[in-house]
Short mmCIF file of all heavy atoms in Angstrom, two decimals:
data_model
loop_
_atom_site.label_atom_id
_atom_site.label_comp_id
_atom_site.label_asym_id
_atom_site.label_seq_id
_atom_site.Cartn_x
_atom_site.Cartn_y
_atom_site.Cartn_z
N ASP B 86 78.65 86.93 -8.43
CA ASP B 86 77.47 87.12 -7.60
C ASP B 86 77.71 86.60 -6.20
O ASP B 86 78.19 85.47 -6.03
CB ASP B 86 76.25 86.40 -8.20
CG ASP B 86 75.76 87.09 -9.46
OD1 ASP B 86 75.56 88.33 -9.40
OD2 ASP B 86 75.57 86.42 -10.48
N GLN B 87 77.36 87.40 -5.23
CA GLN B 87 77.39 86.97 -3.84
C GLN B 87 76.28 87.72 -3.10
O GLN B 87 75.86 88.79 -3.54
CB GLN B 87 78.77 87.20 -3.21
CG GLN B 87 79.39 88.56 -3.43
CD GLN B 87 80.76 88.70 -2.79
OE1 GLN B 87 81.70 89.19 -3.39
NE2 GLN B 87 80.89 88.27 -1.54
N PRO B 88 75.76 87.13 -2.00
CA PRO B 88 74.68 87.81 -1.29
C PRO B 88 75.13 89.16 -0.77
O PRO B 88 76.29 89.36 -0.43
CB PRO B 88 74.34 86.84 -0.14
CG PRO B 88 75.52 85.93 -0.04
CD PRO B 88 76.15 85.87 -1.38
N MET B 91 74.40 89.31 5.25
CA MET B 91 74.09 88.13 6.04
C MET B 91 74.24 88.49 7.51
O MET B 91 75.04 89.38 7.86
CB MET B 91 75.04 86.97 5.70
CG MET B 91 74.93 86.47 4.27
SD MET B 91 76.02 85.08 3.93
CE MET B 91 75.22 83.77 4.86
N ILE B 98 78.60 79.15 12.90
CA ILE B 98 79.30 78.97 11.63
C ILE B 98 78.47 79.66 10.55
O ILE B 98 77.24 79.58 10.54
CB ILE B 98 79.44 77.48 11.28
CG1 ILE B 98 80.25 76.75 12.36
CG2 ILE B 98 80.09 77.29 9.91
CD1 ILE B 98 80.29 75.24 12.16
N VAL B 99 79.14 80.33 9.62
CA VAL B 99 78.43 80.95 8.51
C VAL B 99 79.15 80.62 7.21
O VAL B 99 80.38 80.51 7.16
CB VAL B 99 78.32 82.48 8.71
CG1 VAL B 99 79.67 83.16 8.54
CG2 VAL B 99 77.33 83.08 7.73
N GLN B 100 78.37 80.43 6.15
CA GLN B 100 78.91 80.13 4.83
C GLN B 100 78.50 81.24 3.87
O GLN B 100 77.30 81.51 3.72
CB GLN B 100 78.38 78.78 4.33
CG GLN B 100 78.84 78.41 2.93
CD GLN B 100 78.41 77.02 2.55
OE1 GLN B 100 78.56 76.05 3.29
NE2 GLN B 100 77.86 76.88 1.35
N ILE B 101 79.45 81.84 3.23
CA ILE B 101 79.20 82.91 2.27
C ILE B 101 79.49 82.36 0.88
O ILE B 101 80.62 81.94 0.60
CB ILE B 101 80.07 84.15 2.55
CG1 ILE B 101 79.82 84.66 3.96
CG2 ILE B 101 79.78 85.24 1.52
CD1 ILE B 101 80.75 85.80 4.38
N ASN B 102 78.48 82.36 0.03
CA ASN B 102 78.61 81.77 -1.30
C ASN B 102 78.99 82.81 -2.36
O ASN B 102 78.67 83.99 -2.23
CB ASN B 102 77.30 81.11 -1.72
CG ASN B 102 76.94 79.94 -0.82
OD1 ASN B 102 77.81 79.20 -0.37
ND2 ASN B 102 75.66 79.78 -0.54
N CYS B 103 79.64 82.32 -3.38
CA CYS B 103 80.03 83.16 -4.50
C CYS B 103 79.93 82.34 -5.77
O CYS B 103 80.47 81.23 -5.84
CB CYS B 103 81.46 83.66 -4.30
SG CYS B 103 82.18 84.51 -5.73
N THR B 104 79.21 82.85 -6.75
CA THR B 104 79.18 82.21 -8.06
C THR B 104 79.78 83.17 -9.07
O THR B 104 79.66 84.39 -8.94
CB THR B 104 77.75 81.82 -8.49
OG1 THR B 104 76.93 82.99 -8.49
CG2 THR B 104 77.17 80.80 -7.55
N TYR B 105 80.40 82.59 -10.08
CA TYR B 105 81.08 83.45 -11.04
C TYR B 105 80.95 82.87 -12.45
O TYR B 105 80.80 81.66 -12.64
CB TYR B 105 82.55 83.64 -10.67
CG TYR B 105 83.37 82.36 -10.69
CD1 TYR B 105 84.00 81.94 -11.85
CD2 TYR B 105 83.48 81.57 -9.54
CE1 TYR B 105 84.73 80.76 -11.87
CE2 TYR B 105 84.21 80.40 -9.56
CZ TYR B 105 84.83 79.99 -10.71
OH TYR B 105 85.54 78.83 -10.73
N LEU B 113 90.69 81.96 -7.46
CA LEU B 113 89.66 82.73 -6.77
C LEU B 113 90.18 83.16 -5.41
O LEU B 113 90.76 82.37 -4.67
CB LEU B 113 88.38 81.89 -6.62
CG LEU B 113 87.17 82.67 -6.10
CD1 LEU B 113 85.91 82.25 -6.85
CD2 LEU B 113 86.99 82.52 -4.61
N PHE B 114 89.96 84.43 -5.11
CA PHE B 114 90.44 85.03 -3.87
C PHE B 114 89.26 85.42 -2.98
O PHE B 114 88.19 85.77 -3.48
CB PHE B 114 91.24 86.31 -4.16
CG PHE B 114 92.44 86.12 -5.03
CD1 PHE B 114 92.32 86.04 -6.41
CD2 PHE B 114 93.71 86.06 -4.47
CE1 PHE B 114 93.44 85.90 -7.22
CE2 PHE B 114 94.83 85.92 -5.27
CZ PHE B 114 94.69 85.83 -6.65
N TRP B 115 89.49 85.37 -1.69
CA TRP B 115 88.56 85.98 -0.73
C TRP B 115 89.34 87.03 0.07
O TRP B 115 90.46 86.78 0.54
CB TRP B 115 87.98 84.93 0.23
CG TRP B 115 86.91 84.08 -0.38
CD1 TRP B 115 87.04 82.86 -0.95
CD2 TRP B 115 85.51 84.41 -0.46
NE1 TRP B 115 85.82 82.40 -1.39
CE2 TRP B 115 84.86 83.32 -1.10
CE3 TRP B 115 84.74 85.50 -0.05
CZ2 TRP B 115 83.48 83.29 -1.34
CZ3 TRP B 115 83.37 85.48 -0.29
CH2 TRP B 115 82.76 84.38 -0.93
N SER B 128 92.16 84.17 1.52
CA SER B 128 92.44 82.85 0.95
C SER B 128 92.53 82.91 -0.56
O SER B 128 92.09 83.87 -1.19
CB SER B 128 91.34 81.85 1.33
OG SER B 128 90.13 82.20 0.69
N ASN B 130 92.16 80.00 -3.91
CA ASN B 130 91.92 78.65 -4.43
C ASN B 130 92.13 78.66 -5.94
O ASN B 130 91.60 79.53 -6.62
CB ASN B 130 90.48 78.20 -4.16
CG ASN B 130 90.14 78.03 -2.71
OD1 ASN B 130 90.08 79.02 -1.97
ND2 ASN B 130 89.91 76.82 -2.27
N GLY B 134 88.31 72.01 -4.39
CA GLY B 134 88.47 71.47 -3.06
C GLY B 134 88.47 72.52 -1.99
O GLY B 134 88.18 73.69 -2.24
N LEU B 135 88.78 72.08 -0.81
CA LEU B 135 88.71 72.92 0.38
C LEU B 135 90.11 73.30 0.85
O LEU B 135 90.98 72.45 0.97
CB LEU B 135 87.97 72.15 1.48
CG LEU B 135 87.59 72.89 2.75
CD1 LEU B 135 86.51 73.93 2.43
CD2 LEU B 135 87.09 71.91 3.80
N GLU B 136 90.28 74.59 1.13
CA GLU B 136 91.51 75.09 1.73
C GLU B 136 91.16 75.59 3.12
O GLU B 136 90.29 76.44 3.26
CB GLU B 136 92.09 76.24 0.90
CG GLU B 136 92.56 75.85 -0.48
CD GLU B 136 93.94 75.21 -0.45
OE1 GLU B 136 94.64 75.36 0.56
OE2 GLU B 136 94.30 74.56 -1.46
N GLU B 137 91.86 75.07 4.12
CA GLU B 137 91.54 75.47 5.50
C GLU B 137 92.67 76.29 6.08
O GLU B 137 93.86 75.95 5.92
CB GLU B 137 91.28 74.23 6.36
CG GLU B 137 90.06 73.44 5.91
CD GLU B 137 89.70 72.30 6.84
OE1 GLU B 137 89.12 72.58 7.90
OE2 GLU B 137 90.03 71.15 6.50
N PHE B 141 88.95 79.98 9.19
CA PHE B 141 88.43 80.28 7.86
C PHE B 141 88.77 79.14 6.90
O PHE B 141 89.89 78.63 6.90
CB PHE B 141 89.04 81.57 7.33
CG PHE B 141 88.58 82.81 8.05
CD1 PHE B 141 88.40 82.84 9.42
CD2 PHE B 141 88.35 83.99 7.36
CE1 PHE B 141 88.00 83.99 10.08
CE2 PHE B 141 87.94 85.15 8.01
CZ PHE B 141 87.77 85.14 9.37
N SER B 142 87.81 78.76 6.08
CA SER B 142 88.03 77.77 5.02
C SER B 142 87.40 78.30 3.74
O SER B 142 86.40 79.00 3.79
CB SER B 142 87.37 76.43 5.37
OG SER B 142 87.83 75.93 6.60
N SER B 143 87.98 77.94 2.62
CA SER B 143 87.41 78.33 1.34
C SER B 143 87.36 77.12 0.43
O SER B 143 88.28 76.30 0.40
CB SER B 143 88.21 79.46 0.70
OG SER B 143 89.56 79.09 0.55
N PHE B 144 86.26 77.04 -0.32
CA PHE B 144 86.01 75.90 -1.21
C PHE B 144 85.83 76.40 -2.62
O PHE B 144 85.29 77.48 -2.86
CB PHE B 144 84.73 75.17 -0.76
CG PHE B 144 84.27 74.11 -1.72
CD1 PHE B 144 84.82 72.84 -1.68
CD2 PHE B 144 83.30 74.38 -2.67
CE1 PHE B 144 84.42 71.86 -2.58
CE2 PHE B 144 82.89 73.42 -3.57
CZ PHE B 144 83.44 72.15 -3.52
N LEU B 145 86.27 75.58 -3.57
CA LEU B 145 86.13 75.94 -4.99
C LEU B 145 85.67 74.75 -5.80
O LEU B 145 86.19 73.63 -5.64
CB LEU B 145 87.46 76.44 -5.55
CG LEU B 145 87.50 76.74 -7.05
CD1 LEU B 145 86.62 77.94 -7.39
CD2 LEU B 145 88.93 76.98 -7.52
N SER B 146 84.71 74.99 -6.70
CA SER B 146 84.33 74.04 -7.73
C SER B 146 84.40 74.78 -9.06
O SER B 146 83.54 75.62 -9.36
CB SER B 146 82.92 73.50 -7.51
OG SER B 146 82.48 72.78 -8.65
N GLY B 150 81.56 76.86 -11.26
CA GLY B 150 81.74 78.30 -11.10
C GLY B 150 81.28 78.75 -9.73
O GLY B 150 80.55 79.75 -9.60
N TYR B 151 81.71 78.04 -8.70
CA TYR B 151 81.16 78.24 -7.36
C TYR B 151 82.26 78.17 -6.32
O TYR B 151 83.17 77.34 -6.39
CB TYR B 151 80.11 77.16 -7.11
CG TYR B 151 79.63 77.04 -5.69
CD1 TYR B 151 78.85 78.02 -5.10
CD2 TYR B 151 79.95 75.92 -4.92
CE1 TYR B 151 78.40 77.91 -3.80
CE2 TYR B 151 79.52 75.79 -3.61
CZ TYR B 151 78.73 76.78 -3.06
OH TYR B 151 78.30 76.66 -1.77
N SER B 152 82.15 79.06 -5.35
CA SER B 152 83.06 79.04 -4.21
C SER B 152 82.28 79.41 -2.96
O SER B 152 81.21 80.04 -3.04
CB SER B 152 84.19 80.05 -4.43
OG SER B 152 84.99 80.19 -3.27
N TYR B 153 82.77 79.01 -1.83
CA TYR B 153 82.22 79.54 -0.58
C TYR B 153 83.33 79.78 0.42
O TYR B 153 84.39 79.14 0.36
CB TYR B 153 81.13 78.64 0.01
CG TYR B 153 81.56 77.28 0.52
CD1 TYR B 153 82.30 77.14 1.70
CD2 TYR B 153 81.19 76.13 -0.17
CE1 TYR B 153 82.67 75.88 2.17
CE2 TYR B 153 81.56 74.86 0.30
CZ TYR B 153 82.30 74.75 1.46
OH TYR B 153 82.67 73.50 1.91
N LEU B 154 83.06 80.70 1.31
CA LEU B 154 83.94 81.00 2.44
C LEU B 154 83.21 80.58 3.70
O LEU B 154 82.06 80.97 3.90
CB LEU B 154 84.27 82.49 2.49
CG LEU B 154 85.17 82.96 3.62
CD1 LEU B 154 86.60 82.44 3.41
CD2 LEU B 154 85.18 84.49 3.72
N LEU B 155 83.85 79.75 4.49
CA LEU B 155 83.25 79.24 5.72
C LEU B 155 83.97 79.87 6.91
O LEU B 155 85.20 79.78 7.01
CB LEU B 155 83.38 77.72 5.76
CG LEU B 155 82.52 76.97 6.76
CD1 LEU B 155 81.06 77.03 6.35
CD2 LEU B 155 82.96 75.51 6.87
N LEU B 156 83.22 80.49 7.77
CA LEU B 156 83.79 81.08 8.97
C LEU B 156 83.23 80.35 10.19
O LEU B 156 82.01 80.28 10.38
CB LEU B 156 83.43 82.57 9.09
CG LEU B 156 84.03 83.55 8.08
CD1 LEU B 156 83.34 83.47 6.73
CD2 LEU B 156 83.96 84.96 8.62
N LYS B 157 84.12 79.80 10.98
CA LYS B 157 83.71 79.04 12.17
C LYS B 157 83.94 79.87 13.44
O LYS B 157 84.74 80.82 13.44
CB LYS B 157 84.52 77.75 12.27
CG LYS B 157 84.43 76.84 11.07
CD LYS B 157 85.38 75.65 11.22
CE LYS B 157 85.48 74.87 9.93
NZ LYS B 157 86.52 73.81 10.00
N TYR B 167 82.89 90.71 3.00
CA TYR B 167 83.75 89.65 2.47
C TYR B 167 83.63 89.69 0.94
O TYR B 167 82.55 89.54 0.39
CB TYR B 167 83.35 88.30 3.06
CG TYR B 167 83.70 88.26 4.52
CD1 TYR B 167 82.82 88.77 5.47
CD2 TYR B 167 84.93 87.79 4.95
CE1 TYR B 167 83.15 88.79 6.82
CE2 TYR B 167 85.28 87.80 6.29
CZ TYR B 167 84.39 88.32 7.21
OH TYR B 167 84.73 88.35 8.55
N CYS B 169 84.56 88.39 -2.77
CA CYS B 169 84.98 87.29 -3.63
C CYS B 169 85.62 87.93 -4.86
O CYS B 169 85.09 88.90 -5.41
CB CYS B 169 83.74 86.47 -4.00
SG CYS B 169 83.98 85.20 -5.24
#
Side-chain angles (χ1 to χ4, degrees):
Chain B
D86 288 310
Q87 48 181 135
M91 296 182 71
I98 299 173
V99 71
Q100 177 174 313
I101 302 174
N102 296 323
C103 171
T104 58
Y105 63 89
L113 189 139
F114 300 81
W115 283 96
S128 68
N130 295 68
L135 189 68
E136 294 279 343
E137 297 186 77
F141 291 39
S142 303
S143 57
F144 172 83
L145 175 67
S146 169
Y151 168 70
S152 172
Y153 68 73
L154 180 70
L155 195 70
L156 291 77
K157 303 174 190 173
Y167 292 85
C169 172

